Amino acid sequence: LYNLGFYLRFPAALIEGFPLGWLFLVPLVLLFLYHLAVNFRREWAILSYLAASLGMCILWPENQGMRLVFPLLPLFLLLAGGGWVSLRERLEGRYREALRWGTVVLGAGFLFLSLWVSAGASLTNLRLDRQINGPLDPVSGEMFEFVREQTPPESVIVFFKPRAMR
């Protein structure tokens, strides 16, 4: 049950920390669902793959994180785009034009907010003088040196993330 909830909130995890992210996610999910409702028979192969992949993640005894569902993202976006095309074909005149302008506004908004978030992260990185928290950090170096000096060479030392200690 935990894995079911974890993996089904994958789309929401994509917009975590993104300002007004729900404005972009809700239309994508609606277009995805619309495309499935209209073209279910035509997309059965992709849907089978999505269902099998998610099913394996959900049924696996341990949680593997979001890395296993990231390959499904392009398929999700492809089907959401198919929903946009299906909706555009069914609309007439001014509604079609409104859909087109709505798409332009959402796309431009997404681009602007992406640049805003990236610029903010870059400025924070520069303001902190590009500090890193990791094995090359001076505090970590002191700890490594202390462990090297204070333990016999034949000792076995177990760390939580040994690759980070390399």
Side-chain angles (χ1 to χ4, degrees):
L1 289 176
Y2 173 77
N3 282 353
L4 178 67
F6 182 83
Y7 288 113
L8 290 183
R9 70 184 166 112
F10 171 66
L14 291 174
I15 60 166
E16 207 170 282
F18 194 81
L20 301 174
W22 62 272
L23 282 175
F24 306 101
L25 181 62
V26 170
L28 278 176
V29 170
L30 290 175
L31 287 169
F32 174 80
L33 294 174
Y34 177 74
H35 184 69
L36 294 185
V38 173
N39 299 304
F40 184 79
R41 289 181 187 216
R42 193 172 75 190
E43 304 292 359
W44 69 270
I46 293 176
L47 292 174
S48 298
Y49 175 76
L50 288 172
S53 296
L54 278 175
M56 283 190 296
C57 291
I58 292 167
L59 294 176
W60 195 257
E62 294 180 19
N63 188 300
Q64 297 296 312
M66 291 296 180
R67 65 193 170 107
L68 295 181
V69 289
F70 270 113
L72 305 179
L73 180 61
L75 296 175
F76 170 75
L77 294 175
L78 176 73
L79 294 176
W84 184 86
V85 170
S86 298
L87 186 61
R88 193 183 92 224
E89 289 172 353
R90 293 182 190 275
L91 292 177
E92 52 188 55
R94 62 186 176 132
Y95 297 115
R96 184 180 289 186
E97 191 67 18
L99 178 66
R100 187 172 76 81
W101 280 107
T103 304
V104 168
V105 167
L106 279 175
F110 184 78
L111 180 64
F112 174 76
L113 286 175
S114 294
L115 291 172
W116 181 268
V117 169
S118 295
S122 298
L123 291 174
T124 300
N125 187 20
L126 290 172
R127 188 175 63 247
L128 295 175
D129 199 28
R130 297 182 179 170
Q131 287 181 344
I132 59 168
N133 294 324
L136 302 178
D137 190 301
V139 174
S140 298
E142 292 173 14
M143 184 203 50
F144 296 145
E145 192 59 37
F146 176 81
V147 169
R148 188 178 297 123
E149 291 173 357
Q150 301 298 323
T151 57
E154 67 276 356
S155 296
V156 175
I157 303 170
V158 179
F159 292 101
F160 177 65
K161 293 186 174 182
R163 285 183 292 174
M165 306 288 281
R166 188 173 171 103

